[in-house]
Amino acid sequence: MSKVRVVVAGPRGRMGNEAVNLVKNTENYELVAVLDHRHGGKLLNDIEGFHGFSSVPVFSNIEDCFQNVQADVLIDLTIPEVGMHHTRTALQYGVRPVVGTTGFTNDDLQELENTCNEKELGCIIAPNFALGAVLMMKFSQMAGKYFRDVEIIELHHDQKLDAPSGTAVKTAEMISEVRESKVQGHPAEKETMAGARGANFDGMHIHSVRLPGLIAHQQVMFGSEGQMLTIRHDSFNRASFMSGVKLAVDTVMKIDTFVYGLENIME
Ligand SMILES: NC(=O)C1=CN([C@@H]2O[C@H](COP(=O)(O)OP(=O)(O)OC[C@H]3O[C@@H](n4cnc5c(N)ncnc54)[C@H](OP(=O)(O)O)[C@@H]3O)[C@@H](O)[C@H]2O)C=CC1
Ligand SMILES: O=C(O)C1=N[C@H](C(=O)O)C[C@H](O)C1
């Protein structure tokens, strides 16, 4: 069986680094290139912290990369604007994207879905690759059918760029598919300090905590008369995301559609 040829974008990042090691340590994957805006023209071995990658070229430009290297899958772990450009371009070159980068807009997602349909090419966008986090979202969706009052609290390390997190947005979207709409809190409630009640998604509130020492955590709180249900997930390291990245890479090779969220491919 031929190997899955993978390009990783953002290899020096916290997630990209884990992904490079995942590809290296997976027998039927081959790391054919990386995309790094600061080190184009080098070999991955020449970048500090990488060993055993003497044949892996580094490109700073994705078009150059796909014109010079045959690839099956792009794993993108960068920032939203760059991730969107990479994903768009990968699809144009017939390369299947697996995207962990968060912060894409609804318009971005719609555009990518249209392109996938047009090209009949698989693409997986996963706001959270941790299988436990995906279950947390699914359990929250189940609970949302019975509890209309929901507060989502996401907690992350203080180097995170986007707020609310992609996971929190996806959780709110999934709950809103089953929850009867409600504007929560007192009708006359007033913030005496802007932001005190967090972001508002269909009346649900989302609160973003950023602290050094945290990795990725979320708790979803449901309240009703005399009771409260809390559903919580914690990622204590970035290895927690890698089984989901592998599931996504394996799956994207078999599909010709657009998938937003790992819950759609977990059996
Ligand atoms: N789906 C999931 O399960 C998870 C998703 N994420 C998401 O993945 C993304 C990456 O997270 P994380 O690894 O923590 O972030 P890092 O900041 O550690 O890594 C981001 C990488 O992107 C690179 N980058 C930044 N700007 C550019 C640019 N203009 N062009 C090309 N590359 C650029 C950075 O390079 P440089 O250092 O030079 O700036 C860095 O290598 C985020 O969107 C995060 O929300 C994170 C964890 C889990
Ligand atoms: O930036 C992070 O770290 C994470 N980002 C993703 C998100 O925005 O939900 C996934 C996970 O929470 C870690």
Side-chain angles (χ1 to χ4, degrees), residues 10-16 37-38 77-79 82 86 100-102 126-130 157 160 162 238 241:
R12 284 177 298 105
R14 289 173 287 261
M15 279 291 284
H37 65 140
R38 297 192 199 278
L77 295 156
T78 59
I79 58 170
V82 174
H86 284 169
T101 306
T102 50
N128 201 312
F129 286 117
H157 58 93
K160 184 162 177 59
D162 54 321
R238 276 142 190 124
F241 301 110

Side-chain angles (χ1 to χ4, degrees), residues 5-13 15-24 29-37 44 50 53 56-59 62 65-66 71 73-78 86 98 245 249:
R5 297 166 298 183
V6 181
V7 173
V8 174
R12 284 177 298 105
M15 279 291 284
N17 198 280
E18 286 284 346
V20 164
N21 286 320
L22 170 77
V23 176
K24 182 185 180 187
Y29 295 177
E30 182 185 359
L31 187 67
V32 290
V34 296
L35 282 162
D36 184 325
H37 65 140
L44 184 53
F50 292 95
F53 297 100
V56 179
V58 182
F59 292 89
I62 190 166
C65 176
F66 292 142
V73 174
L74 166 74
I75 301 177
D76 190 89
L77 295 156
T78 59
H86 284 169
V98 166
V245 174
V249 171

